[in-house]
Amino acid sequence: MHLRKTALLIMTFYATFAMSQTKIIAHRGYWDTKGSAQNSITALLKADSLGIYGSEFDVRVSKDSVLVINHDPGIWGHNVAHTSAKVLTSLKLKNKEPLPTLIDYFEAARPLSTKLILELKELESQEMESYAIEKILELVKEYQYEDRIEFISFSLHAIKEMVQKAPDIPTYYLKGELSPQELKEIGCTGPDYHYNVFLKNPNWIRECHELGLKVNTWTVNKEKEMKQLIELGVDFMTTDKPSLLRDLLEKTP
């Protein structure tokens, strides 16, 4: 009986540790490796192969209202918002893959287990952001990704709309100026702020946890800052160096 209780305590300890340990999100997928590129399908697949929590990617809207994956407003001299999806998807990423649509991404994710951390970029109007959210939610429902998708944005309008339309989808605000209490009142899952915000306001991490919020931080690529943020207790860390962070977490007592 004593051995059974001891085994149960050990299992409980490790389960609690696994739940509390900082989780890894690959920034624009695992792109900083051979054969990959930012926001490519390969970057998504490679992120999944690491066994990490999530893979982040950026969504914009083409001239003909197609949701495409690209970080910057433009690519190879083409402004995404003023270019058709046909032209955009004919363009090649740095690893020679075509620029993907959101449907391409969702299709590629079918056999994967990593969470899909979808960032809707700030678009040309609030109306366009509302349209993008409507289409994102239609695809999430079609692919039955309700438990796999998380939403982030610098647009407060987009955040509020996502919270209103899909309160069960985890939603994080990126800009960095709102306090934990303000995020709680909006209905956010929590902040997803640049790591300098939390290093300057470490009490915000504690306040978030006291309010029942989760904390993500970006883009953490150096071991020094990774260690600091792990010690501060962030729930998630977004990084261009997911394998480095994974190795560091494995060594963290």
Side-chain angles (χ1 to χ4, degrees):
M1 182 64 72
H2 178 71
L3 289 175
R4 187 180 300 172
K5 287 183 177 179
T6 301
L8 181 60
L9 286 171
I10 291 172
M11 290 172 64
T12 302
F13 169 79
Y14 280 110
T16 303
F17 175 76
M19 291 175 63
S20 62
Q21 190 179 40
T22 301
K23 295 177 176 62
I24 305 167
I25 296 172
H27 184 233
R28 304 178 201 167
Y30 186 20
W31 63 268
D32 190 16
T33 186
K34 186 177 180 180
S36 193
Q38 294 185 9
N39 278 318
S40 64
I41 298 295
T42 295
L44 173 63
L45 300 177
K46 286 182 177 288
D48 183 75
S49 73
L50 290 175
I52 60 177
Y53 179 83
S55 185
E56 183 263 356
F57 57 98
D58 304 291
V59 173
R60 292 186 175 275
V61 181
S62 70
K63 180 181 179 180
D64 48 349
S65 303
V66 175
L67 274 59
V68 298
I69 313 300
N70 198 64
H71 177 267
D72 294 340
I75 178 171
W76 304 129
H78 297 270
N79 184 296
V80 172
H82 301 156
T83 306
S84 71
K86 182 177 180 180
V87 171
L88 291 171
T89 56
S90 72
L91 302 175
K92 302 298 183 183
L93 304 179
K94 289 187 177 180
N95 67 342
K96 307 305 180 184
E97 286 181 30
L99 182 146
T101 65
L102 183 57
I103 289 177
D104 294 331
Y105 237 67
F106 276 13
E107 281 290 335
R110 282 188 187 274
L112 310 182
S113 59
T114 190
K115 294 276 189 179
L116 304 173
I117 314 300
L118 187 157
E119 179 181 345
L120 179 62
K121 306 305 291 185
E122 289 184 290
L123 303 179
E124 293 189 329
S125 68
Q126 291 186 353
E127 290 75 19
M128 185 56 69
E129 290 176 358
S130 296
Y131 165 82
I133 289 171
E134 179 183 348
K135 294 303 177 185
I136 288 167
L137 291 177
E138 286 178 4
L139 286 172
V140 167
K141 183 176 181 180
E142 177 183 341
Y143 282 82
Q144 299 181 327
Y145 282 173
E146 290 88 349
D147 294 331
R148 294 191 56 192
I149 198 86
E150 299 189 7
F151 183 83
I152 61 176
S153 185
F154 281 95
S155 166
L156 191 55
H157 166 77
I159 291 293
K160 290 179 176 179
E161 185 134 335
M162 181 59 81
V163 167
Q164 180 183 8
K165 291 187 173 180
D168 292 334
I169 291 179
T171 298
Y172 295 83
Y173 182 51
L174 289 164
K175 194 162 285 186
E177 83 282 10
L178 297 183
S179 69
Q181 184 61 46
E182 289 173 308
L183 294 174
K184 177 75 172 180
E185 291 169 1
I186 289 170
C188 279
T189 307
D192 184 357
Y193 292 166
H194 189 273
Y195 67 87
N196 278 330
V197 175
F198 292 123
L199 294 181
K200 291 176 182 177
N201 302 280
N203 59 303
W204 275 11
I205 297 172
R206 174 183 53 79
E207 289 176 22
C208 281
H209 290 156
E210 289 175 352
L211 290 167
L213 304 179
K214 296 289 187 180
V215 177
N216 193 359
T217 185
W218 55 270
T219 301
V220 191
N221 293 332
K222 293 183 179 179
E223 189 170 317
K224 177 184 176 182
E225 285 80 16
M226 288 177 178
K227 288 180 176 178
Q228 288 178 294
L229 292 156
I230 290 168
E231 290 176 2
L232 287 171
V234 297
D235 300 286
F236 309 97
M237 203 180 302
T238 302
T239 177
D240 292 318
K241 308 288 184 180
S243 59
L244 172 63
L245 180 54
R246 183 191 60 179
D247 293 344
L248 182 61
L249 285 166
E250 288 177 352
K251 298 175 187 175
T252 301

